[in-house]
Amino acid sequence: MRIVDIQTGTISLPLTHPFKTALRTVERLEDIVVKVIAEDGSVGYGEAPPTAVITGDTVGSILCAVHDFIKPAILGMDLDDLEAVMEKLDACLVHNSTPKAAVDMALYDLWGKAQGKPLYRLLGGARERFETDLTISVNPTEEMVRDALEAVERGFGILKIKVGKEGMADVARMAAIRAAVGPGVKLRVDANQGWSAQESVSIIRAMEDNGLDIELVEQPVKAADFDGLKAVTQAVDTPILADEAVFSPQDAARLIDEHAADLINIKLMKTGGIYQALKICDLAEKAGVECMIGCMLESKLSVSAAAHLCAARGIITRADLDGPSLCSVDPYSGGPVFDGPSIAMTDLPGIGVGDVPCGNWQ
Ligand code: MG
């Protein structure tokens, strides 16, 4: 089945609360959507969030990559040889992982639809439902405590707390949140590169000494500070999760070889899509390194692609797929069912999300 057209459009969705991390503040989700059309008229959908502070991808760079590089490279190729299409997609541009991810998931969506099966089954079928955490944005402590309690009330048993802006003050912040939610709630900490290696060790040890029972600490140091990440991992007992430090399968291989972190956060927008993410899963599985599946500020469209990967592969033991829960509306039909912390797969073929509400396809 040949690829005959690739189009892009935009979606804009209000968030329930402004999304704040050590790197940025966002009030509204504004993403590019991608539609790949096959010769029989069937369509596959993907989504590309412009997350310049993490991936370097902007609205302009995403549109240019899709229309001027990816489309000419893969138009006319046959989806029956999916591997050849994916290798071409990867090779037609260096970097630009976000537009590649959007096209990759649209291709997998089409490929699954052509076989009449849900994608997660075609890629391994490890499970049919799983639980996601919810992100609590970095704010004054009282506000974070309130947001954490509200999340627990909504049924979330795992919270990912954004920190990284105030050094040792983050220990008191986490202590206040732990005291408020009690011992039954899992707390993850994401510093988004906000600490130095030395600070990380002091802060994490203080959290350990205070019995805050932190499940893991995500990306304490700068993405490029590989030695720092490794030093922190080896100095503390709390598991360290690499996020911004791992984009590609090559990054994952080095991290695993040198035990520079205990866990890997896979995001389709960093890997350039499902095809490369599966390679990271293979490496991680071989080494027994558990993974988390994460997302950027994304709507249900691309988060559904990530959900299929999570449901497909057992080595992904943790999910941070709260994008749809952060949006105040769900404009799509179909796809996995996101119900508070629970994500349940369905039998719809491909990724299964339809009715992408975009009036400006071009
Ligand atoms: Mg992170």
Side-chain angles (χ1 to χ4, degrees):
M1 198 167 59
R2 291 189 186 284
I3 301 159
V4 297
D5 199 10
I6 302 179
Q7 298 176 7
T8 57
T10 52
I11 49 161
S12 173
L13 301 174
L15 301 177
T16 56
H17 301 75
F19 182 81
K20 296 183 191 172
T21 76
L23 295 172
R24 60 189 178 133
T25 297
V26 184
E27 314 258 343
R28 222 181 148 80
L29 176 152
E30 311 260 5
D31 288 354
I32 306 291
V33 284
V34 169
K35 176 158 77 170
V36 178
I37 303 164
E39 61 188 327
D40 68 351
S42 55
V43 293
Y45 292 108
E47 175 180 351
T51 318
V53 290
I54 298 172
T55 57
D57 293 313
T58 62
V59 168
S61 75
I62 291 166
L63 292 174
C64 176
V66 172
H67 289 285
D68 296 352
F69 291 85
I70 296 172
K71 187 170 164 178
I74 66 170
L75 215 61
M77 288 188 83
D78 196 330
L79 266 176
D80 293 343
D81 190 352
L82 188 68
E83 201 177 319
V85 182
M86 292 301 178
E87 292 293 343
K88 193 76 181 267
L89 171 63
D90 184 50
C92 72
L93 273 165
V94 182
H95 306 304
N96 301 89
S97 54
T98 307
K100 284 178 181 171
V103 174
D104 161 287
M105 67 183 67
L107 292 167
Y108 271 108
D109 189 22
L110 268 177
W111 181 72
K113 283 172 179 162
Q115 295 174 75
K117 291 196 175 122
L119 187 60
Y120 80 99
R121 283 200 199 280
L122 294 168
L123 299 179
R127 55 178 85 86
E128 283 168 3
R129 61 170 63 236
F130 54 91
E131 187 179 350
T132 178
D133 62 23
L134 186 77
T135 300
I136 304 298
S137 283
V138 56
N139 275 308
T141 302
E142 321 77 71
E143 209 170 313
M144 291 179 77
V145 165
R146 192 197 62 207
D147 290 346
L149 286 171
E150 190 186 299
V152 172
E153 213 159 286
R154 284 171 69 191
F156 288 90
I158 315 173
L159 305 181
K160 184 160 113 167
I161 316 293
K162 294 289 191 184
V163 297
K165 284 179 125 171
E166 288 175 39
M168 283 303 283
D170 283 333
V171 180
R173 181 190 303 277
M174 289 308 301
I177 293 170
R178 171 56 81 200
V181 300
V185 174
K186 265 191 197 167
L187 295 181
R188 299 170 175 165
V189 167
D190 188 355
N192 283 106
Q193 316 177 55
W195 304 326
S196 69
Q198 211 174 6
E199 256 182 324
S200 303
V201 173
S202 309
I203 293 168
I204 297 167
R205 280 202 185 133
M207 289 183 190
E208 291 170 353
D209 293 344
N210 282 287
L212 301 187
D213 191 21
I214 303 302
E215 186 204 8
L216 57 87
V217 172
E218 183 170 338
Q219 196 65 46
V221 300
K222 292 262 178 285
D225 187 7
F226 186 88
D227 292 339
L229 186 65
K230 185 172 169 178
V232 176
T233 299
Q234 292 175 0
V236 301
D237 295 327
T238 308
I240 301 298
L241 170 71
D243 182 10
E244 289 94 328
V246 175
F247 272 55
S248 64
Q250 291 75 18
D251 295 338
R254 181 176 175 220
L255 183 115
I256 290 169
D257 276 354
E258 298 198 29
H259 190 195
D262 301 295
L263 305 157
I264 296 173
N265 189 346
I266 298 175
K267 291 178 180 165
L268 299 180
M269 299 307 153
K270 297 186 299 175
T271 60
I274 294 167
Y275 184 74
Q276 301 297 334
L278 287 167
K279 292 185 187 174
I280 297 182
C281 289
D282 290 342
L283 289 166
E285 218 161 74
K286 227 166 124 191
V289 171
E290 293 181 18
C291 297
M292 176 188 274
I293 183 87
C295 58
M296 305 295 181
L297 208 46
E298 300 167 40
S299 78
K300 185 178 160 183
L301 179 53
S302 52
V303 176
S304 293
H308 275 273
L309 179 67
C310 183
R313 302 298 295 263
I315 197 69
I316 303 176
T317 54
R318 294 166 176 85
D320 172 29
L321 297 181
D322 57 0
S325 301
L326 302 175
C327 294
S328 62
V329 285
D330 172 10
Y332 308 106
S333 66
V337 179
F338 291 78
D339 182 14
S342 156
I343 300 177
M345 308 310 290
T346 70
D347 282 332
L348 291 166
I351 291 169
V353 179
D355 294 340
V356 174
C358 168
N360 57 353
W361 290 112
Q362 56 180 8

